[in-house]
Amino acid sequence: MQKAANDVMQSIIFSAIIDAVAALKRSSGGLPNQLLRDVQAIHPNVTFADLPKELQDQIAETTRAAFTQLLKEGYAVGPRQQMQQSRPMDRVPERQRTDRRGPPRGPGGPPVRRGGRPPKGGGGGGKPRG
């Protein structure tokens, strides 16, 4: 059975984070102060080149593994133009239909209630007074 895309992506991201933390630990050489400096150097504007070499290598490896895992799970991965052109038809083609619901209602007046019980409370709505 194919996993949901959300589950696959969650698994990929979780693995990537764990691998990145392990790479940061390896790059610090077991020195807690160096590990702290490496972690503090990561901020929203950091570039890939600013990261430690071990972390860069791990990110590249994790990216390749993520694409492989997506393909193994049966998801198509490729450029947008190529994917849109080669998508299999996932629904029945549109065909001419006759409208069996009757004439459309105009904008005036409340909708007509057909059959069934009348609304509770006589149709007044809201909380009962008392």
Side-chain angles (χ1 to χ4, degrees):
M1 183 170 86
Q2 187 178 16
K3 287 185 189 176
N6 190 40
D7 294 338
V8 174
M9 288 306 299
Q10 186 177 19
S11 172
I12 289 170
I13 291 171
F14 180 75
S15 296
I17 290 171
I18 298 299
D19 293 343
V21 170
L24 279 170
K25 286 181 177 179
R26 281 193 309 272
S27 71
S28 70
L31 302 172
N33 289 342
Q34 184 61 40
L35 176 61
L36 184 60
R37 281 190 211 108
D38 288 344
V39 170
Q40 288 178 335
I42 299 172
H43 54 83
N45 295 329
V46 72
T47 64
F48 188 74
D50 294 336
L51 298 173
K53 177 72 172 126
E54 289 83 358
L55 184 55
Q56 290 177 15
D57 295 342
Q58 187 61 50
I59 290 172
E61 182 181 326
T62 302
T63 303
R64 283 190 298 272
F67 280 111
T68 302
Q69 186 173 352
L70 282 170
L71 292 171
K72 281 183 182 178
E73 292 292 335
Y75 290 96
V77 180
R80 177 183 287 186
Q81 296 295 336
Q82 183 182 2
M83 292 292 103
Q84 287 176 346
Q85 291 170 358
S86 66
R87 276 184 68 192
M89 194 171 213
D90 58 352
R91 62 187 181 114
V92 178
E94 293 294 324
R95 62 177 183 234
Q96 186 69 25
R97 295 183 187 183
T98 58
D99 192 8
R100 292 181 242 165
R101 294 179 291 176
R105 287 187 231 150
V112 178
R113 191 171 163 83
R114 295 189 177 124
R117 297 192 307 200
K120 290 183 179 179
K127 294 183 181 178
R129 298 181 190 199

